[in-house]
Amino acid sequence: MADVPDDLLEQIKHLEEIFTVDGAKLKEVTNHFVKELDKGNIEGGSIPMNPTWVMGFPDGHETGTFLALDMGGTNLRVCEIVLLEEKGEFDIIQSKYRMPEDLKTGDSEELWEYIADCIQQFIEYHHEVEDLETLDKIPLGFTFSFPATQDFIDNGILQRWTKGFDISGVEGKDVAPLFEAAIAKRKLPIRLSALINDTTGTLIASAYTDDTMKIGCIFGTGCNAAYMENCGSVPKIASYNLPPDMPIAINCEYGAFDNEHVVLPRTPYDIVVDNDSPRPGQQAFEKMIAGLYLGELFRLVLVDLHDNKSCNVFQGQDISKLRKAYTLDSSFLSLIEEDPFENLTETGDLFKRELGITTNKPELELCRRLAELIGTRAARLSTCGVAAICKKKDIKSCHVGADGSVFNKYPHFKARGAVALREILDWKQGEKDPVSILAAEDGSGVGAALIAALTIKRVRAGNLAGIRNTEGMV
């Protein structure tokens, strides 16, 4: 950075100070995280720790044909998954259907009608039968990736809509009967066996093909993890009188970690992101590490440097596009970090194309360093949740299945996370990483089908804990 003027160097130094998280701080965050996970399993605290009623890992020998429905923010995906005789093997056929924007804020019945229509199209196309009623009922796993509480594996009470959905009259209600009514109306040969969250699906799908997988994670637009707990360590389900050593998957929903702002190293820019968000004071951890917010942090810093600091950033330029909140997402930072040229020409082109800003070399150097700082902090902090689960469960060695756009696409995210995990868990120099975060299997498709299979398997074994409707499963 020899050609960067002193005023910009000073700002870069300040940004390095506020965005860098050292090993000692990571350990402090992780230790507090462990306490909060425990608190959530009792009842109370910011992290919901939702019991999922998925009672154990697959053994890799599950077989049969299952449907999976994956309802995300942009697409609806319908899959047919055949679990094969060979251990951990499966075949999958799938179709994607665009989720119309008007449905996201429309009428509840229209939403479920559309979903049932997509499933009907899928079955008719792939099964080519005249009369659908002649088919045996196919068990279905429904990945409903919105915050929901579950008293049973085949129900889910929507806590709140996210991902741009805002359909009145559904929050606080069980979505399973709404879905089942639309299916019954069309006489589709389907039985809802399990309603799941994508993170729990990631855990189970990854464990099906790799039995050293102990944790499932999402690092994408949001962040979350799921792991297998013992029923005896979850006091809030004590009234079910389950054997204390019986496993149960917990969907942490830990984007809400440290909503009380006790330990996370928030900068003034993090505080602005929180205050200006639709739900201030919520999802504190997520707002520092998830893809939805990385671009906004970057934007806020640049606007602040242009407006308030005694330095020259984008001087004499029209930055009106940059002033628009959430105009940048994490892919913008990815492109900056991926720029292979020493003179950062691709970054300069990006600013010109997307924001109408002409940049000079020192400004590009600052932008590159800022992207690195925000991306590195996100990767390092994100491992605190994984480390906390390892410490809580005394896991010395395992694989962690991770999915999500940030994990899969953000440059250096995996490597930076691995370095942080080593610092937190104090592994010996030269020792191979005992805990590795790897790309997960398809949680919302294969995971949903597997959980449907596991539910039927345990009904047949006589374990009916957390299953509302066992009709047709035995």
Side-chain angles (χ1 to χ4, degrees):
M1 291 197 184
D3 52 353
V4 177
D6 288 349
D7 60 340
L8 280 196
L9 278 175
E10 206 170 296
Q11 293 306 329
I12 290 170
K13 187 166 178 282
H14 173 65
L15 291 169
E16 286 174 342
E17 283 167 6
I18 64 171
F19 279 103
T20 300
V21 186
D22 64 19
K25 186 63 180 176
L26 290 176
K27 286 181 178 179
E28 185 192 346
V29 170
T30 302
N31 290 336
H32 188 62
F33 220 129
V34 175
K35 291 177 195 160
E36 290 298 303
L37 294 174
D38 285 336
K39 206 187 280 184
N41 273 334
I42 297 166
E43 199 76 83
S46 294
I47 305 177
M49 303 295 279
N50 294 331
T52 64
W53 304 105
V54 176
M55 318 292 280
F57 284 113
D59 59 17
H61 295 292
E62 291 72 17
T63 56
T65 300
F66 303 86
L67 287 179
L69 174 66
D70 175 15
M71 180 180 163
T74 314
N75 296 313
L76 187 73
R77 185 167 61 118
V78 184
C79 315
E80 183 172 286
I81 290 127
V82 181
L83 303 176
L84 303 170
E85 295 290 338
E86 296 84 9
K87 187 175 186 219
E89 295 290 323
F90 60 86
D91 284 336
I92 180 168
I93 49 173
Q94 55 189 317
S95 297
K96 275 186 182 174
Y97 305 88
R98 189 94 188 149
M99 188 67 82
E101 283 303 314
D102 57 335
L103 272 189
K104 296 183 184 181
T105 52
D107 174 73
S108 169
E109 196 171 330
E110 285 173 5
L111 172 72
W112 302 111
E113 281 290 323
Y114 178 74
I115 290 170
D117 185 50
C118 292
I119 295 173
Q120 183 170 343
Q121 284 180 47
F122 179 86
I123 294 173
E124 285 176 345
Y125 181 76
H126 291 292
H127 285 271
E128 297 178 349
V129 288
E130 290 294 317
D131 185 359
L132 289 179
E133 289 183 65
T134 60
L135 287 175
D136 288 338
K137 283 202 170 183
I138 309 170
L140 178 136
F142 182 4
T143 302
F144 184 72
S145 297
F146 300 87
T149 50
Q150 292 185 273
D151 296 320
F152 305 95
I153 197 164
D154 46 354
N155 88 334
I157 295 157
L158 176 67
Q159 292 165 308
R160 65 185 179 277
W161 284 116
T162 55
K163 303 178 188 178
F165 281 77
D166 192 10
I167 298 168
S168 61
V170 186
E171 289 185 354
K173 288 196 177 155
D174 183 0
V175 298
L178 302 173
F179 169 71
E180 287 171 321
I183 292 296
K185 192 173 167 185
R186 289 167 184 265
K187 298 183 174 168
L188 297 180
I190 284 167
R191 184 181 66 249
L192 177 64
S193 299
L195 189 111
I196 73 154
N197 175 278
D198 57 350
T199 316
T200 313
T202 296
L203 170 68
I204 297 301
S206 300
Y208 180 66
T209 57
D210 176 356
D211 55 17
T212 64
M213 289 281 181
K214 298 285 180 255
I215 300 167
C217 293
I218 304 288
F219 304 120
T221 312
C223 69
N224 194 15
Y227 73 102
M228 206 62 74
E229 189 52 274
N230 299 320
C231 289
S233 301
V234 190
K236 64 186 175 188
I237 59 168
S239 60
Y240 289 86
N241 296 316
L242 299 168
D245 58 351
M246 181 181 283
I248 183 166
I250 299 292
N251 166 29
C252 301
E253 294 290 356
Y254 68 24
F257 167 65
D258 200 33
N259 282 349
E260 307 80 8
H261 310 312
V262 173
V263 72
L264 286 172
R266 296 202 306 163
T267 68
Y269 305 106
D270 295 298
I271 292 164
V272 173
V273 165
D274 185 33
N275 290 343
D276 291 352
S277 70
R279 288 186 162 95
Q282 293 185 22
Q283 301 300 98
F285 187 52
E286 188 162 281
K287 284 170 181 165
M288 294 179 77
I289 70 168
L292 183 60
Y293 304 101
L294 302 185
E296 181 63 1
L297 282 167
F298 181 81
R299 186 193 72 80
L300 285 167
V301 174
L302 292 184
V303 171
D304 185 39
L305 291 177
H306 174 273
D307 290 355
N308 305 327
K309 294 290 188 288
S310 54
C311 66
N312 299 320
V313 174
F314 310 144
Q315 216 176 13
Q317 301 265 345
D318 172 11
I319 70 158
S320 53
K321 282 189 178 173
L322 187 64
R323 290 192 187 281
K324 188 168 178 271
Y326 291 94
T327 200
L328 306 179
D329 63 14
S330 59
S331 66
F332 193 88
L333 275 70
S334 293
L335 290 169
I336 294 171
E337 287 220 52
E338 280 172 341
D339 189 341
F341 299 106
E342 201 174 319
N343 60 0
L344 300 174
T345 47
E346 287 186 0
T347 305
D349 293 345
L350 182 68
F351 270 82
K352 187 69 184 159
R353 186 173 68 246
E354 300 292 329
L355 299 167
I357 295 171
T358 304
T359 46
N360 59 37
K361 182 74 186 334
E363 288 166 349
L364 292 173
E365 292 282 5
L366 173 119
C367 291
R368 170 70 160 236
R369 187 68 187 116
L370 177 59
E372 286 172 356
L373 288 167
I374 291 171
T376 301
R377 187 187 73 161
R380 286 172 69 78
L381 282 175
S382 70
T383 58
C384 293
V386 174
I389 293 170
C390 289
K391 289 186 87 160
K392 173 178 165 42
K393 295 297 297 171
D394 197 26
I395 298 169
K396 301 292 187 209
S397 168
C398 76
H399 286 165
V400 177
D403 205 352
S405 54
V406 174
F407 180 79
N408 290 322
K409 294 178 182 169
Y410 197 94
H412 319 301
F413 188 87
K414 297 172 194 173
R416 289 163 176 169
V419 170
L421 209 50
R422 176 169 285 280
E423 288 174 40
I424 298 167
L425 297 174
D426 287 323
W427 297 329
K428 293 188 186 80
Q429 199 68 38
E431 181 186 5
K432 186 172 175 286
D433 292 2
V435 177
S436 297
I437 304 178
L438 308 170
E441 284 292 344
D442 167 19
S444 47
V446 177
L450 277 163
I451 289 169
L454 289 170
T455 305
I456 293 165
K457 191 172 167 181
R458 69 184 179 88
V459 166
R460 289 174 180 165
N463 177 1
L464 308 182
I467 302 171
R468 180 176 52 184
N469 181 10
T470 58
E471 187 188 334
M473 285 200 202
V474 182

